[in-house]
Amino acid sequence: MALASIGNSEFDRDTAITPRAPGGTEDGTAEHDVHIHQGWTLFGAANGGYLLAIAARALADTLPHPDPFTVTAHYLSATRPGPAVVRSSRAHTRRSLSTGQASLFQMADDGTEVERLRVLATYGDLDALPDDVRTTAKPPELPPREHCVSRDGLGDGEGFGAAEIVARLDLALDPATAGWAIGGPTGPGEMRGWFDFAGGRDPDPLSLLLAADALPPTPFDLGVIAWVPTVELTVHVRRRPAPGPLRIAVVTRNLAGGFLEEDAEIWDSADRLVAQSRQLARMLG
């Protein structure tokens, strides 16, 4: 079976956008029809990174620059599978950067329109960035994939492994941060693992937005198994990723009052830090 490619994969089809006015509008606004697919949900609610990728695709069609550099999303209510519309607009344009905003709306059961997601983002051209890199950051040290905990080991029934989105990903977790799935949590509040698409699609900037919210929640490593919906998520895309699987390291240092932060680093197969993220999440249940 041939591997999926960028532009021809389930992820691309399920984040597709259809402009209501092809060619854009003179005032820099746009509307895109989208469909939220069941396969990218966790027990009925759409994954935050998946929604961010849809909004980012609509913004790329609205702004003059192609690539997300920084994207911040506030999640206003749970997004369910079904039709939706993304309304986006340009806020400011410079030679190398442009900034825009986008909101995703769905119809409620009573027929009223409900805003589910609001995004503010700055775009540029990743291919135009200089090659100079000076960093003290180091990629996470992960065991080989065959020694990590695969999807089949992440629990079934009502567990994380049964979530619809997990079947579309090829995740392999570092056993040191997967104790919750294989015998008992280790406690530091970390999650590390390999990330790839189940169909083999190589990563691109849009998939980095998904990857930032793809690993199991860090409270699992603290022994707290609960639903952890995202309140706010910011992703900084630093480089266009090289082909091959990604490595992700996520940590939380403060779980208080039912809220926690998660800081993530995403590394590509060439040992480059390609994205960073921070999210605020709420622990429920």
Side-chain angles (χ1 to χ4, degrees):
M1 180 183 296
L3 296 179
S5 59
I6 295 174
N8 183 28
S9 72
E10 185 177 28
F11 174 72
D12 295 290
R13 292 190 296 273
D14 291 352
T15 58
I17 58 173
T18 302
R20 290 185 173 179
T25 58
E26 293 183 1
D27 62 359
T29 64
E31 288 187 318
H32 294 85
D33 289 308
V34 302
H35 189 86
I36 309 303
H37 289 263
Q38 179 74 34
W40 303 92
T41 62
L42 289 90
F43 312 113
N47 170 264
Y50 166 67
L51 295 175
L52 195 56
I54 290 175
R57 195 179 290 280
L59 280 165
D61 196 51
T62 305
L63 299 174
H65 294 95
D67 302 313
F69 276 24
T70 174
V71 185
T72 296
H74 287 263
Y75 297 83
L76 310 181
S77 57
T79 304
R80 305 297 180 184
V85 61
V86 178
R87 297 192 179 100
S88 53
S89 62
R90 274 179 271 169
H92 186 66
T93 299
R94 289 166 280 175
R95 186 173 68 177
S96 60
L97 296 172
S98 55
T99 299
Q101 58 186 1
S103 290
L104 185 146
F105 296 87
Q106 285 187 314
M107 299 301 292
D109 292 339
D110 63 2
T112 60
E113 192 173 64
V114 178
E115 185 177 8
R116 304 295 195 192
L117 172 73
R118 186 174 296 188
V119 173
L120 183 66
T122 294
Y123 277 54
D125 185 351
L126 290 170
D127 294 331
L129 295 178
D131 291 331
D132 181 47
V133 176
R134 308 179 192 191
T135 182
T136 60
K138 296 181 180 180
E141 296 183 3
L142 295 177
R145 294 186 67 124
E146 60 269 22
H147 296 152
C148 289
V149 180
S150 66
R151 181 173 68 234
D152 294 339
L154 296 180
D156 51 16
E158 297 181 358
F160 179 83
E164 293 85 344
I165 187 175
V166 177
R168 275 134 193 91
L169 304 177
D170 186 4
L171 298 177
L173 300 185
D174 185 344
T177 67
W180 54 273
I182 58 176
T186 54
E190 299 179 3
M191 205 64 65
R192 295 186 297 273
W194 299 90
F195 171 96
D196 207 345
F197 286 102
R201 177 194 191 274
D202 282 324
D204 67 349
L206 283 183
S207 67
L208 296 178
L209 306 181
L210 172 70
D213 193 38
L215 294 192
T218 52
F220 286 15
D221 191 46
L222 299 171
V224 181
I225 306 300
W227 185 38
V228 188
T230 303
V231 176
E232 180 269 340
L233 172 61
T234 295
V235 183
H236 295 165
V237 177
R238 310 302 302 274
R239 308 284 295 184
R240 189 177 304 281
L246 301 170
R247 285 161 293 168
I248 307 174
V250 190
V251 62
T252 184
R253 294 180 176 87
N254 190 49
L255 194 165
F259 290 84
L260 64 142
E261 92 294 339
E262 287 192 339
D263 292 312
E265 291 184 350
I266 303 176
W267 295 77
D268 71 1
S269 61
D271 282 345
R272 301 181 308 170
L273 181 61
V274 292
Q276 299 159 283
S277 71
R278 165 166 277 203
Q279 72 168 281
L280 179 70
R282 185 178 184 183
M283 203 167 58
L284 299 175

